[in-house]
Amino acid sequence: MGLVPKKVRHELNRLYRMGEITKKQLMDQMRNGLFDHERLAMKKKLEKILGKEE
Amino acid sequence: MDFSGILEFFEQLEASGGWFYDFLSYFVAVGLVFLFIIYLLRLWRGEINWLGQKIEDPNIPELSLKEREELESQISKLIQENELLLKQVNKKDRMIQKLNKEINEIKKLYIELDEKYADETYTMSQIMYTAEEVAAALVDEENFLVNKDDIYDNVLDYLINTLRDYREKNPRIVIHIPHPEKEDVLVHYAHSGGHSHRIKEYEPPIYGSAAGRAWRNNEVYYIPDVEDSQAEYDRKMNSSKQYRSILSVPLSIGQDKSTCIGVLSLTGKPVDAYEKIEIERVVLFSKLLYPLILMDINRKGVIQDGFGSEKSKT
């Protein structure tokens, strides 16, 4: 988790433009957990509640 | 017919061959046998005693008329209560169905919200990388001058990455700045991937192009459909019909026109390609790029006496 190195980012940009990776893959790999931990924690919490209900 | 008549009738039957009395005796015998079997069965089951009297169930107490009436009234009350409970159960059942429906809608909304939240966190990462690369370019000017095209290519890619449906929209960006010699047109400064080399030759007029209008008014100008005759747009520019939407964003600081140093234009293939949030992101990235473009323009001396030419904006 953390900043993705510049070279890797540029490569990801290239791969996405070429259609070799999906938007989701680009998003996940570019973000690499940055700014996303609160969202994931909330998602986990909700899934736990829904899991209990079901 | 009196009794003597009946006797006479039987005598006549007897006289006619005697079969009737035989039949009658068999019939009576079979009937007696059946009755006896029924008697034995009931006796065996304990329903009657040897004398054929009915046996009462000792577990069931004998009830008085008043008690019986009370019991009947309780039964009718219980029936009413049962009906009431059934109605309540049905009502609760309907409520549960309604709540389940609402839960499903909330789940759908949550999924939608989560997708948007994910999009925002991803956009934050792109902003961070852009800020980092702009800062790196400002720090290492020499490297920036050598790799300027690549740097802009990557930085503009971060902006494009934040737009939705890349494949359908085919977004392309070009940045124009004031022409160093001509007052009535802007000139190419940088562009994203996907453009032909001719993009460098195009000079949008200050009057009669989307970029020119954004420059003149220092305002974001979005044309959802370039085929709209009311739009201020240079139709020669779209001769190959690669896009239908265009967004032009002035590179400036706030409302102060004198700070405007250029225009960033983004095209989109379909009609009305960009949502409000995407337009806002483009504005955000234009602010991020501002220091880098300003540094470069000042270095080149493109803009004399400060920022944009006042003559071209009036």
Side-chain angles (χ1 to χ4, degrees):
Chain A
M1 193 173 117
L3 278 170
V4 177
K6 199 198 278 188
K7 276 188 181 173
V8 178
R9 295 189 315 242
H10 295 176
E11 181 61 9
L12 286 170
N13 280 341
R14 193 189 65 79
L15 290 172
Y16 182 57
R17 299 289 167 265
M18 301 291 286
E20 288 176 28
I21 56 169
T22 64
K23 177 79 185 265
K24 194 178 180 311
Q25 286 171 320
L26 176 77
M27 284 171 77
D28 289 344
Q29 291 179 46
M30 275 285 192
R31 189 167 41 201
N32 197 28
L34 276 175
F35 307 106
D36 209 33
H37 39 89
E38 287 188 347
R39 180 185 74 89
L40 292 174
M42 198 176 281
K43 196 174 182 179
K44 205 173 168 185
K45 219 186 268 182
L46 188 92
E47 277 168 359
K48 203 175 166 186
I49 292 167
L50 292 177
K52 267 183 194 171
E53 268 187 6
E54 283 159 10
Chain B
M1 189 185 284
D2 56 3
F3 186 70
S4 61
I6 294 166
L7 278 175
E8 199 179 322
F9 173 68
F10 278 114
E11 278 168 5
Q12 277 177 2
L13 284 172
E14 176 65 20
S16 65
W19 61 271
F20 176 72
Y21 286 109
D22 289 342
F23 167 75
L24 193 64
S25 60
Y26 284 127
F27 182 78
V28 170
V30 169
L32 284 171
V33 168
F34 267 113
L35 277 174
F36 187 66
I37 290 167
I38 289 165
Y39 166 78
L40 286 176
L41 271 172
R42 293 191 71 191
L43 189 66
W44 178 62
R45 285 182 181 168
E47 292 172 4
I48 52 171
N49 61 19
W50 287 106
L51 297 170
Q53 292 166 326
K54 200 173 176 182
I55 297 170
E56 295 293 334
D57 188 345
N59 297 324
I60 301 170
E62 278 192 35
L63 298 173
S64 67
L65 187 63
K66 196 182 169 188
E67 285 172 328
R68 194 179 287 271
E69 280 174 355
E70 267 179 22
L71 269 178
E72 280 172 0
S73 128
Q74 281 176 357
I75 287 167
S76 67
K77 260 188 194 173
L78 282 172
I79 289 169
Q80 282 175 357
E81 279 175 16
N82 185 42
E83 282 171 359
L84 198 70
L85 281 172
L86 276 173
K87 275 183 191 169
Q88 284 176 348
V89 167
N90 285 336
K91 198 177 167 185
K92 296 276 177 201
D93 198 37
R94 281 197 296 274
M95 271 176 70
I96 289 169
Q97 282 177 5
K98 196 181 163 193
L99 283 173
N100 278 336
K101 203 178 161 189
E102 282 174 1
I103 288 170
N104 282 333
E105 277 173 17
I106 289 169
K107 272 189 207 171
K108 274 186 201 167
L109 276 175
Y110 170 77
I111 290 166
E112 198 181 323
L113 190 65
D114 184 62
E115 279 170 6
K116 288 189 189 298
Y117 191 0
D119 196 34
E120 289 302 317
T121 57
Y122 162 70
T123 300
M124 287 291 285
S125 71
Q126 299 305 290
I127 292 167
M128 188 158 166
Y129 297 142
T130 305
E132 190 188 64
E133 289 188 32
V134 166
L138 289 168
V139 166
D140 191 350
E141 202 177 323
E142 204 174 310
N143 179 55
F144 169 68
L145 294 175
V146 175
N147 300 301
K148 187 175 154 183
D149 286 350
D150 283 344
I151 289 169
Y152 274 113
D153 203 31
N154 284 304
V155 167
L156 295 177
D157 267 353
Y158 294 136
L159 165 53
I160 288 172
N161 286 348
T162 68
L163 305 172
R164 293 165 183 165
D165 306 320
Y166 169 75
R167 311 262 170 241
E168 289 77 31
K169 292 180 183 174
N170 193 20
R172 291 173 185 182
I173 297 169
V174 59
I175 297 171
H176 291 103
I177 56 170
H179 200 288
E181 290 153 11
K182 301 176 192 171
E183 287 287 342
D184 58 342
V185 291
L186 300 170
V187 70
H188 171 275
Y189 172 71
H191 63 273
S192 66
H195 285 288
S196 74
H197 64 280
R198 288 175 61 197
I199 191 71
K200 288 186 175 180
E201 295 161 14
Y202 176 66
E203 295 178 347
I206 299 291
Y207 285 89
S209 73
R213 180 175 169 136
W215 166 261
R216 263 186 0 251
N217 298 334
N218 190 33
E219 274 176 7
V220 173
Y221 184 50
Y222 177 48
I223 306 175
D225 187 358
V226 293
E227 289 187 7
D228 178 2
S229 59
Q230 299 297 307
E232 186 172 345
Y233 167 71
D234 184 7
R235 280 162 183 81
K236 285 178 202 163
M237 190 191 171
N238 191 23
S239 55
S240 55
K241 298 276 178 194
Q242 293 281 321
Y243 58 88
R244 290 289 291 271
S245 312
I246 186 164
L247 169 71
S248 289
V249 177
L251 297 161
S252 61
I253 303 167
Q255 304 300 312
D256 186 356
K257 277 188 184 181
S258 68
T259 62
C260 192
I261 55 169
V263 177
L264 182 151
S265 295
L266 166 72
T267 56
K269 200 175 172 186
V271 171
D272 201 7
Y274 299 108
E275 295 167 35
K276 195 179 173 192
I277 186 74
E278 293 174 301
I279 294 172
E280 288 167 346
R281 285 175 187 169
V282 177
V283 173
L284 167 60
F285 274 83
S286 74
K287 307 290 179 199
L288 284 172
L289 295 176
Y290 188 92
L292 187 58
I293 299 167
L294 178 67
M295 178 271 283
D296 199 23
I297 286 174
N298 281 342
R299 186 190 56 79
K300 282 181 182 173
V302 171
I303 298 170
Q304 304 295 328
D305 306 322
F307 300 123
S309 162
E310 282 306 308
K311 276 184 195 170
S312 66
K313 291 181 191 171
T314 51

